[in-house]
């Protein structure tokens, strides 16, 4: 029993020794090719990323292209290294193909997200920093990944949307700004032009309010208790709440300081005291 195990060990030892003697130079060459190839892949990937960044290419597309270049070079180097030591890559290619088919059938949803991500990167309907609305969800684009896109809304909440729910849908893109609306009522006896001018000055003085497109201020409607003055302005998407609160406070303050009456809902009741009986 022991002698048979020793013979088997000697057989494997002899095979390993012969292989190392025969392919020692090839093994060293394969290791050298592998190390050199990994170094070249990393350097070339970084070079591609720097060139695309220098030409103001979108960060998501830059990252995707540089990673693809790196992966392709690594695959080529591994194939060359395996061939150098006499290992045929044909069975590996067949196995990878079969595994890819099985994985594709099992992960159809995930792969559809990746396909949609590639479509977004290629067509670029929006980029990082844009403010979009899709399927009732809105926010500023924080990151675009292959499988999903992350938005951040005015409440600093991150919203993750699978890319398959973006491609093919109607997308509203207001770029890096969002529209904010506000309104205030003044009495019918007050001067609407004065109130409009005061609100325009408030909007011009705030540093978060965009100058392009310009803010809009005017009469919105004639309400029961007064004239409604509406104001519309654009602010960075992540600054909506604090800017809106500050603008509303400033508008109320200047209207009050100008002695412009802000009416409140009221009803006038007329009591008829006439006696209908004779």
């Amino acid at each position: 029993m022991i002698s048979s195990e020793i013979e088997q060990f000697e057989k494997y030892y002899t095979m390993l020794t012969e292989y190392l003697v025969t392919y020692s130079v090839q093994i060293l060459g394969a290791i050298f090719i592998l190390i050199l190839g990994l170094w070249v892949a990393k350097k070339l990937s970084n070079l591609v990323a720097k060139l695309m960044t220098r030409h103001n290419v979108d960060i998501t597309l830059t990252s995707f292209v540089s990673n693809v270049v790196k992966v392709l070079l690594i695959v080529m180097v591994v194939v060359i290294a395996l061939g150098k030591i006499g290992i045929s890559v044909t069975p590996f290619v067949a196995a990878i193909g079969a595994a890819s088919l099985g994985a594709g059938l099992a992960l159809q949803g995930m792969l559809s997200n990746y396909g949609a991500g590639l479509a977004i990167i290629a067509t670029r309907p929006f980029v990082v920093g844009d403010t979009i609305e899709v399927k009732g969800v809105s926010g500023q684009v924080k990151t675009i990944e292959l499988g999903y896109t992350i938005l951040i809304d005015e409440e600093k909440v991150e919203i993750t949307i699978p890319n398959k729910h973006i491609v093919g849908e109607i997308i509203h893109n207001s770029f890096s700004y969002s529209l904010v609306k506000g309104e205030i009522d003044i009495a019918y006896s007050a001067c609407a032009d004065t109130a409009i001018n005061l609100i325009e000055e408030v909007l011009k003085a705030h540093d978060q309010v965009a100058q392009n497109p310009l803010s809009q201020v005017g009469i919105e409607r004639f309400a029961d208790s007064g004239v409604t003055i509406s104001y519309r302005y654009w602010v960075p998407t992540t600054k909506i709440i604090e800017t809106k609160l500050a603008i509303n406070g400033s508008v109320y303050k200047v209207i009050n300081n100008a002695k412009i009456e802000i009416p409140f809902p009221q009803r006038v009741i007329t009591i008829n005291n006439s006696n209908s009986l004779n």
Side-chain angles (χ1 to χ4, degrees):
M1 184 70 179
I2 297 176
S3 60
S4 63
E5 291 181 354
I6 293 176
E7 291 177 358
Q8 189 175 12
F9 175 77
E10 290 178 348
K11 178 181 178 182
Y12 290 141
Y13 177 77
T14 303
M15 291 175 58
L16 179 61
T17 304
E18 291 178 354
Y19 180 83
L20 291 176
V21 170
T22 305
Y23 292 98
S24 57
V25 177
Q26 289 86 339
I27 292 174
L28 291 176
I31 294 174
F32 175 77
I33 291 173
L34 186 61
I35 295 174
L36 180 62
L38 293 176
W39 181 82
V40 172
K42 183 178 179 181
K43 290 295 182 181
L44 189 58
S45 174
N46 293 336
L47 178 62
V48 170
K50 289 180 180 179
L51 288 175
M52 297 182 72
T53 302
R54 188 180 303 169
H55 289 83
N56 299 320
V57 180
D58 179 58
I59 183 64
T60 305
L61 183 60
T62 299
S63 177
F64 174 74
V65 172
S66 62
N67 286 333
V68 168
V69 170
K70 185 176 181 180
V71 170
L72 290 177
L73 286 174
I74 291 175
V75 171
M76 291 175 58
V77 168
V78 170
V79 170
I80 294 172
L82 290 176
K84 189 70 175 177
I85 58 177
I87 298 177
S88 176
V89 297
T90 304
F92 292 100
V93 173
I96 292 173
S100 300
L101 178 60
L105 295 175
L107 303 174
Q108 289 183 1
M110 185 180 296
L111 293 177
S112 64
N113 284 327
Y114 289 154
L118 290 174
I120 291 173
I121 292 173
T123 59
R124 301 181 67 189
F126 55 84
V127 296
V128 173
D130 284 357
T131 299
I132 66 170
E133 179 181 352
V134 57
K135 300 189 74 172
V137 178
S138 62
Q140 189 175 46
V141 180
K142 183 179 180 181
T143 57
I144 305 173
E145 303 292 345
L146 276 182
Y148 56 87
T149 296
I150 297 179
L151 309 182
I152 183 169
D153 64 10
E154 66 272 16
E155 297 177 354
K156 308 299 188 296
V157 176
E158 289 190 356
I159 305 169
T160 302
I161 307 177
N163 285 332
K164 67 180 180 180
H165 295 301
I166 298 177
V167 174
E169 297 291 336
I170 298 175
I171 301 175
H172 301 264
N173 190 349
S174 59
F175 301 99
S176 58
Y177 287 89
S178 292
L179 177 65
V180 179
K181 302 177 183 178
E183 57 183 37
I184 188 172
D185 286 354
I186 63 173
Y188 277 99
S189 59
C191 178
D193 290 338
T194 301
I196 290 173
N197 290 334
L198 289 172
I199 295 174
E200 286 178 343
E201 292 300 322
V202 168
L203 296 177
K204 289 179 181 178
H206 201 285
D207 57 352
Q208 293 295 340
V209 176
Q211 299 302 315
N212 185 24
L214 291 174
S215 306
Q216 297 176 325
V217 185
I219 296 175
E220 178 73 21
R221 60 182 173 272
F222 300 99
D224 294 336
S225 303
V227 178
T228 301
I229 305 297
S230 174
Y231 46 97
R232 299 155 58 93
Y233 53 95
W234 296 83
V235 299
T237 301
T238 55
K239 302 289 185 179
I240 291 178
I241 294 180
E242 53 262 48
T243 306
K244 182 178 181 179
L245 295 178
I247 292 294
N248 287 345
S250 297
V251 168
Y252 177 77
K253 184 177 181 180
V254 297
I255 294 296
N256 244 354
N257 291 342
K259 306 300 182 183
I260 297 175
E261 181 184 353
I262 302 175
F264 54 88
Q266 54 185 312
R267 293 180 181 274
V268 178
I269 301 175
T270 302
I271 300 175
N272 190 353
N273 290 325
S274 61
N275 192 355
S276 60
L277 297 177
N278 293 327

